[in-house]
Short mmCIF file of all heavy atoms in Angstrom, two decimals:
data_model
loop_
_atom_site.label_atom_id
_atom_site.label_comp_id
_atom_site.label_asym_id
_atom_site.label_seq_id
_atom_site.Cartn_x
_atom_site.Cartn_y
_atom_site.Cartn_z
N SER R 730 -76.55 -8.62 8.11
CA SER R 730 -75.99 -9.92 8.50
C SER R 730 -75.12 -10.54 7.30
O SER R 730 -74.03 -11.08 7.51
CB SER R 730 -76.97 -10.97 8.91
OG SER R 730 -77.97 -11.13 7.83
N ALA R 731 -75.57 -10.32 6.00
CA ALA R 731 -74.77 -10.78 4.91
C ALA R 731 -73.60 -9.87 4.74
O ALA R 731 -72.44 -10.46 4.48
CB ALA R 731 -75.70 -10.69 3.62
N ALA R 732 -73.65 -8.53 4.96
CA ALA R 732 -72.56 -7.71 4.88
C ALA R 732 -71.56 -8.16 5.98
O ALA R 732 -70.21 -8.19 5.81
CB ALA R 732 -72.93 -6.22 4.99
N GLY R 733 -72.02 -8.43 7.17
CA GLY R 733 -71.17 -8.70 8.27
C GLY R 733 -70.52 -10.07 7.98
O GLY R 733 -69.20 -10.28 8.33
N ARG R 734 -71.21 -11.07 7.42
CA ARG R 734 -70.72 -12.39 7.05
C ARG R 734 -69.51 -12.06 6.07
O ARG R 734 -68.40 -12.65 6.30
CB ARG R 734 -71.72 -13.15 6.43
CG ARG R 734 -71.18 -14.57 5.95
CD ARG R 734 -72.08 -15.30 5.06
NE ARG R 734 -72.16 -14.69 3.88
CZ ARG R 734 -73.34 -14.33 3.13
NH1 ARG R 734 -74.45 -14.77 3.66
NH2 ARG R 734 -73.29 -13.80 2.00
N ASP R 735 -69.73 -11.26 5.11
CA ASP R 735 -68.62 -11.02 4.19
C ASP R 735 -67.30 -10.32 4.82
O ASP R 735 -66.25 -10.86 4.52
CB ASP R 735 -69.04 -10.08 2.94
CG ASP R 735 -70.17 -10.75 2.16
OD1 ASP R 735 -70.27 -12.06 2.15
OD2 ASP R 735 -70.87 -10.06 1.49
N VAL R 736 -67.53 -9.42 5.70
CA VAL R 736 -66.46 -8.83 6.40
C VAL R 736 -65.74 -9.86 7.29
O VAL R 736 -64.43 -9.85 7.20
CB VAL R 736 -66.97 -7.73 7.28
CG1 VAL R 736 -66.02 -7.30 8.25
CG2 VAL R 736 -67.54 -6.51 6.44
N HIS R 737 -66.37 -10.81 7.88
CA HIS R 737 -65.80 -11.82 8.58
C HIS R 737 -65.02 -12.80 7.84
O HIS R 737 -63.89 -13.31 8.16
CB HIS R 737 -66.75 -12.36 9.62
CG HIS R 737 -67.01 -11.44 10.74
ND1 HIS R 737 -68.27 -10.66 10.57
CD2 HIS R 737 -66.39 -10.95 11.87
CE1 HIS R 737 -68.31 -9.83 11.63
NE2 HIS R 737 -67.24 -10.05 12.44
N VAL R 738 -65.63 -13.22 6.74
CA VAL R 738 -64.88 -14.10 5.78
C VAL R 738 -63.58 -13.45 5.22
O VAL R 738 -62.59 -14.16 5.14
CB VAL R 738 -65.89 -14.47 4.58
CG1 VAL R 738 -65.12 -15.21 3.46
CG2 VAL R 738 -67.11 -15.32 5.07
N ILE R 739 -63.72 -12.21 4.87
CA ILE R 739 -62.43 -11.54 4.36
C ILE R 739 -61.48 -11.47 5.47
O ILE R 739 -60.22 -11.77 5.23
CB ILE R 739 -62.82 -10.13 3.74
CG1 ILE R 739 -63.77 -10.24 2.57
CG2 ILE R 739 -61.66 -9.24 3.58
CD1 ILE R 739 -64.33 -9.03 2.16
N ALA R 740 -61.78 -11.25 6.77
CA ALA R 740 -60.89 -11.11 7.81
C ALA R 740 -60.26 -12.52 8.03
O ALA R 740 -59.11 -12.55 8.28
CB ALA R 740 -61.54 -10.54 9.09
N ALA R 741 -60.93 -13.57 7.99
CA ALA R 741 -60.38 -14.87 8.10
C ALA R 741 -59.35 -15.03 6.98
O ALA R 741 -58.38 -15.72 7.22
CB ALA R 741 -61.40 -15.94 8.06
N ASN R 742 -59.65 -14.72 5.83
CA ASN R 742 -58.72 -15.04 4.75
C ASN R 742 -57.45 -14.11 4.91
O ASN R 742 -56.43 -14.54 4.59
CB ASN R 742 -59.47 -14.48 3.37
CG ASN R 742 -60.44 -15.52 2.91
OD1 ASN R 742 -60.44 -16.72 3.40
ND2 ASN R 742 -61.41 -15.05 2.22
N VAL R 743 -57.57 -12.95 5.35
CA VAL R 743 -56.41 -12.09 5.64
C VAL R 743 -55.47 -12.78 6.76
O VAL R 743 -54.35 -12.86 6.60
CB VAL R 743 -56.85 -10.67 6.15
CG1 VAL R 743 -55.70 -9.94 6.84
CG2 VAL R 743 -57.44 -9.88 5.02
N PHE R 744 -56.21 -13.33 7.82
CA PHE R 744 -55.44 -14.04 8.81
C PHE R 744 -54.67 -15.14 8.24
O PHE R 744 -53.48 -15.36 8.54
CB PHE R 744 -56.46 -14.60 9.96
CG PHE R 744 -55.84 -15.18 10.99
CD1 PHE R 744 -55.39 -14.58 12.25
CD2 PHE R 744 -55.57 -16.58 10.93
CE1 PHE R 744 -54.78 -15.17 13.24
CE2 PHE R 744 -54.94 -17.17 12.03
CZ PHE R 744 -54.56 -16.54 13.20
N THR R 745 -55.36 -16.00 7.48
CA THR R 745 -54.68 -17.15 6.73
C THR R 745 -53.46 -16.74 5.94
O THR R 745 -52.42 -17.27 6.10
CB THR R 745 -55.70 -17.81 5.85
OG1 THR R 745 -56.80 -18.34 6.64
CG2 THR R 745 -55.08 -19.11 5.18
N GLN R 746 -53.60 -15.59 5.21
CA GLN R 746 -52.49 -15.13 4.40
C GLN R 746 -51.32 -14.74 5.28
O GLN R 746 -50.10 -14.92 4.87
CB GLN R 746 -52.91 -13.92 3.55
CG GLN R 746 -53.83 -14.46 2.43
CD GLN R 746 -54.48 -13.25 1.57
OE1 GLN R 746 -54.22 -12.04 1.93
NE2 GLN R 746 -55.29 -13.64 0.58
N ARG R 747 -51.57 -13.96 6.35
CA ARG R 747 -50.52 -13.63 7.33
C ARG R 747 -49.74 -14.87 7.76
O ARG R 747 -48.47 -14.87 7.80
CB ARG R 747 -51.14 -12.92 8.49
CG ARG R 747 -51.36 -11.46 8.15
CD ARG R 747 -51.66 -10.77 9.43
NE ARG R 747 -52.15 -9.47 9.13
CZ ARG R 747 -52.54 -8.55 10.00
NH1 ARG R 747 -52.47 -8.94 11.26
NH2 ARG R 747 -52.95 -7.41 9.72
N TYR R 748 -50.43 -15.95 8.13
CA TYR R 748 -49.67 -17.05 8.59
C TYR R 748 -49.10 -17.92 7.49
O TYR R 748 -48.11 -18.59 7.70
CB TYR R 748 -50.68 -18.03 9.51
CG TYR R 748 -50.72 -17.44 10.88
CD1 TYR R 748 -51.58 -16.45 11.31
CD2 TYR R 748 -49.89 -18.10 11.83
CE1 TYR R 748 -51.47 -15.96 12.51
CE2 TYR R 748 -49.84 -17.46 13.11
CZ TYR R 748 -50.67 -16.47 13.41
OH TYR R 748 -50.70 -16.08 14.75
N GLU R 749 -49.56 -17.85 6.27
CA GLU R 749 -48.96 -18.48 5.15
C GLU R 749 -47.60 -18.04 4.91
O GLU R 749 -46.74 -18.65 4.26
CB GLU R 749 -49.84 -18.39 3.97
CG GLU R 749 -51.03 -19.36 3.84
CD GLU R 749 -51.86 -19.07 2.71
OE1 GLU R 749 -51.84 -18.04 1.88
OE2 GLU R 749 -52.79 -19.94 2.38
#
Side-chain angles (χ1 to χ4, degrees):
S730 61
R734 179 191 69 226
D735 293 343
V736 167
H737 291 97
V738 168
I739 291 167
N742 290 336
V743 166
F744 182 92
T745 298
Q746 290 173 359
R747 283 191 184 174
Y748 276 85
E749 283 176 347

